[in-house]
Each structure stands twice: as structure tokens, then as C-alpha cells.
Amino acid sequence: DAKTTQPPSMDCAEGRAANLPCNHSTISGNEYVYWYRQIHSQGPQYIIHGLKNNETNEMASLIITEDRKSSTLILPHATLRDTAVYYCIVSPRQGAQKLVFGQGTRLTINP
Amino acid sequence: GAVVSQHPSWVICKSGTSVKIECRSLDFQATTMFWYRQFPKQSLMLMATSNEGSKATYEQGVEKDKFLINHASLTLSTLTVTSAHPEDSSFYICSARDHRAQYSNQPQHFGDGTRLSIL
């Protein structure tokens, strides 16, 4: 599986947009970019995923660069409940889809 | 939406006992489920892939005789920590994806985890 690189921690003010970067320079053509987050003492929560086009859902937006070597997760109006560890993972869509977690980014939303 | 349920959510037991953790997919069927372990302040570490009707596939360094996995139906996988010791204390998490998802665009979903404490 392709390795991802994320900053270990980030801070954001409540109500502002939180932009979380992820580098995945060795991503292959059949691999998707998935974002999950984990709030303390809970299982990871799915946020969004994409292949090459930008994606948006009720939780977030995902911007993938044209060369697909990096992406940015955007939480448009961060709230205190968005404080969590955010994981960027690349994995093939086909097959069993084993997800290998890196260290993620610990996002802290400040009041 | 897709829901994965784990039971129990926490368990405390004495050293030497065996503990069984259940992982259920509530509104979909899963031919494959995954088991992870997470120590404090660390990321999730994949332990094994649970395959319905066949043997589990273990990651390197994970003892298959220590962590017994059974995936007897399309909605249930169990992880049994045998002869548990304090070093086995951890947060155990399972995940699953609809078995039809490989032909669609559905992601994996995770249970809420089981906190295991061995005294």
C-alpha cells in the first residue's frame, strides 16, 4: 500500500475552515484516497474518499491534486466536536480493501 | 448508513483467562472483516483479516494461536484473546465493508472498539 505523510498536529479556530494536507507521492492508478477520523476512545469514522476528482459531502470536501500525489481535506466550518485524529489512507477500491493506518494528524479546534 | 457493532465495549478480567470479542455487521453482509489493535497514543495496527468460511490471514508478528479469529457467518466475526496477560491490554477495533462494495463505491466502516484490561 502507498505510504501517506501527514503533519502530526494542527490547530484551528472554531468556525474557521480546517485544511488538512496529506502527501501520497507513491499512489498508484487504482488506489483511492480515503479519510477517516478518530475521536478519543471511539472507532474511526469514515469521512470521504476520492480517486482524482474533487469530492464533497455533508461532512467535508476533498481536493486531490491533478498529479494525485497529494490531497487536502477541508472541514468548512470547524466545531469543537471536530477535534480528533484525522487519517489519510490510500487503498485500492477493488478487493478486500485492507486499510493501513499511519500516524494521522491530531486536529484541535480551539474556541 | 452502514453500521458495525462490537461487543463488549469494555471488559476487565484476570490474567490467564480468555476473552471473546464480537464484531457484527448490522445492515450488510461482509465476506471480509478486519481486526485492529491500538495502544494508547498510537495509531491503529492491523492484526488480521477475517475471511468468512476460511482461515484468517494474520499480519507479521501477530500470534495466530494467541488471537483466534472465527468468521462463521457473513455478519459475524469473533476475536478470542487466549490466556490473556496484562500486555494484551489494549483497544481492539474491527471493521467491515459490504461484500458488494467491491463493485460499487462503499467504504469500510468501523466498530466502536472494545477496551480490554487484563489485571
Side-chain angles (χ1 to χ4, degrees), chain B residues 1-4 27-28 109:
Chain B
V3 177
V4 174
D27 53 358
F28 63 94
H109 293 275

Side-chain angles (χ1 to χ4, degrees), chain A residues 32 34 36 38 40-46 49 87 92-104 106, chain B residues 32 34 36 38 42-44 46 49 59 91 93 97 101-113 115:
Chain A
Y32 279 60
Y34 293 85
Y36 287 80
Q38 185 178 27
H40 183 62
S41 296
Q42 296 181 23
Q45 177 191 23
Y46 166 76
H49 73 283
Y87 295 99
R93 178 172 70 88
Q94 300 294 334
Q97 199 194 55
K98 182 167 69 172
L99 300 180
V100 178
F101 285 75
Q103 295 305 306
R106 181 172 298 279
Chain B
T32 304
F34 298 93
Y36 296 81
Q38 185 176 33
Q42 294 186 22
S43 184
L44 284 77
L46 180 65
T49 302
E59 297 298 304
F91 191 49
I93 308 167
R97 187 170 72 141
Q102 61 183 321
Y103 306 113
S104 68
N105 218 13
Q106 297 302 310
Q108 262 192 61
H109 293 275
F110 288 78
D112 279 337
R115 190 160 301 283

Side-chain angles (χ1 to χ4, degrees), chain B residues 54-102:
Chain B
S54 64
K55 291 182 179 179
T57 305
Y58 291 81
E59 297 298 304
Q60 190 173 9
V62 177
E63 301 176 58
K64 60 181 66 176
D65 294 331
K66 175 75 171 177
F67 301 99
L68 301 179
I69 291 173
N70 183 277
H71 193 151
S73 78
L74 287 172
T75 59
L76 174 64
S77 174
T78 61
L79 169 69
T80 301
V81 183
T82 62
S83 187
H85 289 92
E87 58 267 27
D88 298 321
S89 298
S90 189
F91 191 49
Y92 292 86
I93 308 167
C94 71
S95 71
R97 187 170 72 141
D98 191 321
H99 75 288
R100 300 166 298 178
Q102 61 183 321

Side-chain angles (χ1 to χ4, degrees), chain A residues 4-69:
Chain A
T4 62
T5 304
Q6 299 176 252
S9 63
M10 292 182 65
D11 284 81
C12 180
E14 186 178 19
R16 304 296 294 269
N19 298 293
L20 291 89
C22 179
N23 286 322
H24 31 80
S25 59
T26 59
I27 191 170
S28 61
N30 69 335
E31 289 181 316
Y32 279 60
V33 180
Y34 293 85
W35 283 85
Y36 287 80
R37 71 180 182 184
Q38 185 178 27
I39 296 170
H40 183 62
S41 296
Q42 296 181 23
Q45 177 191 23
Y46 166 76
I47 301 173
I48 199 168
H49 73 283
L51 182 64
K52 55 183 179 180
N53 297 321
N54 298 337
E55 302 287 344
T56 296
N57 63 19
E58 65 278 6
M59 291 183 68
S61 294
L62 174 60
I63 309 298
I64 302 174
T65 58
E66 192 169 340
D67 63 7
R68 302 210 321 122
K69 293 185 177 182

